[in-house]
Amino acid sequence: MADRGEDVDAESEDELYEVVNITDYARRHQWWSRVFGNSTGPIAEKYSVASQIMMGGVTGWCAGYLFQRVGKIVATAVGGGFLLLQIANHSGYVQVDWGKVEKDVNKAKKHLKKKANKAAPELNSFIEESTEFVKRNIVISGGFVGGFLLGLAS
């Protein structure tokens, strides 16, 4: 009889617990659905105009601020390198053949002009997709541009 009682307790414990398939749960309850809602349309259908401008402005400001900081670092590095090259040239450590430099720069300009006239199809499709995105989400795009400009100025 003790065996029968243990079997009943084991069966009742199994009935208390439900087996959950985590992959099915994850498919039905995606984290972005909880954050952004279940709508899959353009952003204009999900949020108010004020929310869109705020989200675009904040992301634009962050992008502009980072762009400004990275730009300053790159400009400092390039300018510093050029300055050191000029000092080394003036001091006699380095001899630069400026005629060859000018010839190579002109050759590179001609090559770039030739390549620029033949824009890659990927670039054209990217531009078309970007334009379509901006048209569909004009409010958040406007907020992003304004925030980007403020980020550059700060």
Side-chain angles (χ1 to χ4, degrees), residues 98-116:
W98 290 109
K100 185 170 177 9
V101 170
E102 184 178 358
K103 183 177 126 185
D104 289 345
V105 166
N106 289 334
K107 183 178 175 183
K109 283 194 319 193
K110 287 179 186 176
H111 182 73
L112 284 174
K113 282 183 182 178
K114 192 186 298 185
K115 291 289 184 179

Side-chain angles (χ1 to χ4, degrees), residues 2-152:
D3 291 338
R4 176 75 179 140
E6 289 176 11
D7 288 340
V8 170
D9 290 337
E11 287 175 11
S12 64
E13 284 182 23
D14 287 341
E15 291 175 10
L16 294 176
Y17 298 107
E18 179 184 346
V19 177
V20 176
N21 186 349
I22 293 181
T23 56
D24 288 337
Y25 179 82
R27 284 189 193 121
R28 284 183 280 131
H29 300 89
Q30 295 170 342
W31 66 270
W32 57 82
S33 296
R34 287 192 302 259
V35 173
F36 299 115
N38 291 324
S39 176
T40 57
I43 227 168
E45 297 172 1
K46 296 179 191 176
Y47 297 103
S48 69
V49 173
S51 297
Q52 292 180 56
I53 291 174
M54 183 189 67
M55 287 189 310
V58 168
T59 56
W61 184 86
C62 291
Y65 186 77
L66 288 174
F67 188 79
Q68 173 204 30
R69 294 295 177 193
V70 170
K72 282 183 179 179
I73 292 169
V74 169
T76 302
V78 170
F82 185 72
L83 180 66
L84 288 175
L85 181 63
Q86 288 295 330
I87 291 172
N89 182 32
H90 184 70
S91 300
Y93 290 110
V94 177
Q95 293 295 324
V96 178
D97 185 2
W98 290 109
K100 185 170 177 9
V101 170
E102 184 178 358
K103 183 177 126 185
D104 289 345
V105 166
N106 289 334
K107 183 178 175 183
K109 283 194 319 193
K110 287 179 186 176
H111 182 73
L112 284 174
K113 282 183 182 178
K114 192 186 298 185
K115 291 289 184 179
N117 292 336
K118 301 176 185 176
E122 296 87 18
L123 180 63
N124 290 335
S125 65
F126 176 75
I127 291 171
E128 289 172 9
E129 289 173 9
S130 300
T131 305
E132 187 63 31
F133 175 81
V134 169
K135 285 179 183 177
R136 280 185 284 134
N137 301 298
I138 191 70
V139 176
I140 198 166
S141 300
F144 180 85
V145 169
F148 186 81
L149 294 175
L150 286 174
L152 282 177

